[in-house]
Amino acid sequence: MSSRRTTTIAGSLVTASFSAVMILALPAVAEDQGPGSGKGGKAVDEAPAGVKLSTLLPERISVDNGSRKTAITATVRNEGTKNSGSVRLLVVGFDGLTVKNVPGCAAIPEQDLPEGSNSGFACPVGDLAAGASKSYAVDATFDTGRTGKICLPVQTADGSKTFWQQGPVPFGTTNPSPNAPATPLLLGTDNTPAAPSGDELPRTGPADVLPWGAAGAALLAAGAAGLWWSRRRPERREA
């Protein structure tokens, strides 16, 4: 049996406790991020009538070549004419891009990350009014010697439906500057490392659409978030 097959989770609950206050807007501090873009985004499950959810990522980010640190602003918005109902935003990193922290959000346990990802956070957006948006400051690191991707699904609070998913979409540069203090990366660009063997990039993780969410209960009140996945990493088995 393939370890990559989708496993339906019925009645199981993984709760990540956190004490955090939901934020209205916490933009990442980065002057060179440029306008937000929905590049790499697509609708998945049909949203309720009058609800139109989407996300935005910056057109460009800057990575410190010494610390590998970078800041990314992730925005969810409702361009519809009716309130969204209770929804959550997931911020998931792949390959050389690792999500370190998203204030106001709960870290997804390693065993519940989608296959191929290395990190992720679940953000309880709540009921997003028509025409409203909410932004989150994403602290991350980026290994410029590798490719790096990020994914932003917008789901019902219980994860049973995914209304929108941006990514996994890459950040990268085709003109690396290893001796510069920072490397600018562009959204939707596969990274070309400056290191030797730059022609062969490590490529891991699923392509295109990830099947997010399965059956589960509603997101708990402030202080806890329930996380469910229809696709989980295979359990480690002792020899």
Side-chain angles (χ1 to χ4, degrees), residues 35-39 54-58 72-77 133 152 164 166 187:
S37 171
K39 183 178 293 184
S54 62
T55 56
L56 296 173
L57 285 166
I72 303 170
T73 302
T75 301
V76 57
R77 58 182 179 174
S133 64
L152 302 180
W164 172 267
Q166 186 173 7
L187 182 66

Side-chain angles (χ1 to χ4, degrees), residues 72-151:
I72 303 170
T73 302
T75 301
V76 57
R77 58 182 179 174
N78 180 8
E79 299 176 279
T81 57
K82 295 183 178 180
N83 287 20
S84 66
S86 187
V87 296
R88 68 181 184 183
L89 171 71
L90 306 182
V91 183
V92 184
F94 292 83
D95 305 334
L97 193 157
T98 303
V99 181
K100 294 295 187 179
N101 188 38
V102 184
C105 306
I108 299 169
E110 182 180 359
Q111 68 270 20
D112 296 301
L113 290 169
E115 187 174 348
S117 66
N118 57 48
S119 55
F121 283 75
C123 305
V125 176
D127 187 13
L128 197 60
S133 64
K134 187 176 288 189
S135 295
Y136 297 86
V138 180
D139 295 326
T141 59
F142 194 103
D143 181 353
T144 54
R146 304 173 58 194
T147 57
K149 304 182 188 74
I150 192 169
C151 190

Side-chain angles (χ1 to χ4, degrees), residues 216-234:
L219 191 69
L220 302 182
L227 308 174
W228 301 265
W229 301 95
S230 63
R231 189 168 196 167
R232 303 178 68 183
R233 289 182 172 178

